[in-house]
Amino acid sequence: MTVAQPSNDTTSRLPMYDARDRSENFPVALRVLPAAIRDHLRRVYAVARHIDELGDSGTGDRTAVLSAYRSQVHALWAGERLSEPTLMRLAPTVTACGLSEKPFQDLVAANLQDQSVTEYADFAALLEYCALSADPVGRLVLQIFARSSPERIALSDRICSALQVLEHCQDVVEDSRAGRVYLPQDDLGRAGLSTATLLDLGHREDLCAVVSLQVLRARQLLDAGPPLLRRLDGWAKVSVAGFVAGGLAIADAIERARGDVVTAVPRPRRVDVFRHIAALLLRSGGAG
């Protein structure tokens, strides 16, 4: 595989990730990983986050901007000249870990879909979207640890879809104001809700019920965590346990709020994250 080289020699002066990545978004449990692995994960995460930003808050024609980024992603694997900083920083990780292009292209495809699709008919349709928007990240994590296999990928996909569903539950208000509704339309309809009435005060309990249903479904998907952890060892197991534990802690937070994601965004507690990590590692035979 030929990996593109940067268009100039500025990559060594580019920050690996910004302050927000360090403090808020990078899973706290993953900070214990060795520096080299942590850096690979951060580079992948920075690209995924940048793609989301282009799709959510990019200026101008977002479809055109995302399409241009998609071309730059292809350029990285085609050995062509790069000008996109996030991909310039990613290049050493692509080489070191043998990352494939498709997961990144799927992430771009998910954000392109966001520009035209604003509702999902049912949970199955939402999971099809998650296959583009979330599952690729788990696949890349397995590649970084050289642990990819069809069986592990299938379990990872379930976990990543669950994490995406939980994030959609947290972000109901933000997404609705941006003109997107990720809660399944059939569930909303059965609760007497529509896109137009989603945030109406008089329907708050109905919305809580719909959100709680999605959390239940996400927990069922997260049941793939222990089987996947039993098929991993070392830092790969610790890393995946951190992701699963983070999802379980988000589910805990939403359930403590009884599905109310409008009054305030339910946030996971660190103590819950570490409690779940310990339980997951214990159930799967330790960290190895």
Side-chain angles (χ1 to χ4, degrees):
M1 176 183 66
T2 302
V3 176
Q5 297 301 311
S7 59
N8 54 53
D9 63 356
T10 62
T11 35
S12 62
R13 300 195 297 272
L14 292 168
M16 185 75 71
Y17 47 89
D18 64 22
R20 186 178 174 190
D21 285 328
R22 291 197 299 270
S23 62
E24 290 181 20
N25 294 316
F26 198 68
V28 63
L30 302 189
R31 295 175 188 171
V32 303
L33 298 178
I37 296 174
R38 203 163 60 238
D39 287 345
H40 289 321
L41 291 170
R42 279 186 165 128
R43 289 169 182 150
V44 167
Y45 182 85
V47 170
R49 182 168 176 262
H50 183 64
I51 293 170
D52 282 345
E53 288 176 342
L54 293 178
D56 290 341
S57 56
T59 58
D61 185 341
R62 294 178 188 173
T63 297
V65 170
L66 286 165
S67 296
Y69 195 89
R70 178 172 57 187
S71 297
Q72 276 281 287
V73 170
H74 180 68
L76 174 55
W77 273 265
E80 299 171 357
R81 192 176 182 87
L82 288 176
S83 60
E84 168 53 52
T86 56
L87 295 174
M88 292 160 65
R89 291 192 289 269
L90 179 67
T93 291
V94 171
T95 300
C97 302
L99 300 186
S100 55
E101 178 182 356
K102 187 177 185 301
F104 294 99
Q105 293 289 6
D106 285 346
L107 293 173
V108 177
N111 279 269
L112 285 168
Q113 184 169 310
D114 278 334
Q115 308 314 305
S116 58
V117 180
T118 60
E119 299 176 354
Y120 291 87
D122 51 32
F123 193 67
L126 181 61
L127 289 182
E128 289 179 4
Y129 169 74
C130 292
L132 295 175
S133 66
D135 298 1
V137 176
R139 295 181 178 214
L140 289 166
V141 169
L142 290 176
Q143 288 182 21
I144 286 173
F145 287 105
R147 294 294 188 274
S148 290
S149 72
E151 186 177 29
R152 292 187 185 114
I153 287 170
L155 293 169
S156 172
D157 286 352
R158 289 174 59 84
I159 293 166
C160 291
S161 289
L163 297 177
Q164 181 76 90
V165 169
L166 291 167
E167 182 179 335
H168 288 325
C169 289
Q170 287 180 297
D171 295 342
V172 164
V173 174
E174 179 183 347
D175 291 335
S176 179
R177 289 173 177 166
R180 299 175 189 158
V181 176
Y182 293 102
L183 299 176
Q185 290 295 309
D186 60 345
D187 294 332
L188 292 175
R190 281 190 288 269
L193 289 164
S194 68
T195 297
T197 63
L198 186 66
L199 302 182
D200 286 359
L201 183 61
H203 292 281
R204 187 65 54 84
E205 290 187 4
D206 298 319
L207 177 60
C208 291
V210 174
V211 169
S212 296
L213 174 59
Q214 312 316 312
V215 173
L216 176 61
R217 289 168 170 165
R219 281 196 181 277
Q220 292 170 344
L221 291 171
L222 286 172
D223 285 343
L228 177 56
L229 291 174
R230 285 193 289 271
R231 291 163 175 79
L232 299 171
D233 57 14
W235 291 118
K237 175 176 281 194
V238 173
S239 178
V240 172
F243 284 113
V244 176
L248 291 170
I250 293 172
D252 291 343
I254 298 174
E255 288 174 347
R256 277 195 304 273
R258 298 185 179 181
D260 183 1
V261 295
V262 176
T263 302
V265 177
R267 299 296 184 190
R269 301 182 304 201
R270 287 190 178 186
V271 64
D272 290 332
V273 174
F274 287 114
R275 173 173 59 84
H276 284 302
I277 289 175
L280 286 163
L281 292 178
L282 184 63
R283 288 174 61 189
S284 60

